[in-house]
Amino acid sequence: QVQLVESGGGLVQAGGSLRLSCAASGRTFSSYGMGWFRQAPGKEREFVAAISGAGGKTSYADSVKGRFTISRDNVKNTVYLQMNSLKPEDTAVYYCAAGSSWYNTRQADFGSWGQGTQVTVSS
């Protein structure tokens, strides 16, 4: 089992930037993929970005491609989500998750989840 703790959320104006962090413990961090998901009020949780265990493979939702960057530091056991050019529609609770294998993108393949961090983008 993996324990995940997110941080870095907050309130930002449209066009601004935030960097989310997710610290992991409990398993060999580099052995599994990580992902970021988000859930806006009244909507289902959706995929945002994923990264492989070694960090060489990434994937993004079309809605964030070119604006968000996922990365990881396997020494610090931390995954990041750099969010630039934020829009009001990016407002949501953001969750990091640990995958079941070296690289995952399907929500069902992520077995451990953080508690979430709120991101609010004002217009």
Side-chain angles (χ1 to χ4, degrees):
Q1 193 72 354
V2 180
Q3 292 75 48
L4 303 170
V5 179
E6 301 103 334
S7 60
L11 173 64
V12 64
Q13 287 189 332
S17 298
L18 280 175
R19 189 176 81 155
L20 306 183
S21 300
C22 174
S25 62
R27 279 168 57 193
T28 303
F29 185 64
S30 60
S31 68
Y32 53 90
M34 294 292 295
W36 286 96
F37 294 79
R38 67 186 182 186
Q39 187 168 22
K43 295 187 178 181
E44 293 187 354
R45 189 163 58 188
E46 64 176 4
F47 170 78
V48 175
I51 188 166
S52 61
K57 186 175 179 63
T58 58
S59 179
Y60 297 92
D62 288 343
S63 58
V64 307
K65 205 170 291 184
R67 300 187 297 122
F68 291 11
T69 302
I70 188 171
S71 62
R72 64 190 297 160
D73 184 331
N74 286 348
V75 174
K76 295 182 178 179
N77 287 3
T78 301
V79 63
Y80 305 97
L81 185 67
Q82 178 66 44
M83 306 185 294
N84 298 329
S85 302
L86 282 161
K87 304 175 182 180
E89 50 263 44
D90 294 319
T91 295
V93 177
Y94 283 72
Y95 299 89
C96 74
S100 58
S101 65
W102 75 279
Y103 180 67
N104 305 98
T105 58
R106 296 191 314 148
Q107 192 166 163
D109 292 331
F110 289 84
S112 298
W113 295 80
Q115 81 287 353
T117 186
Q118 176 71 46
V119 171
T120 302
V121 184
S122 63
S123 57

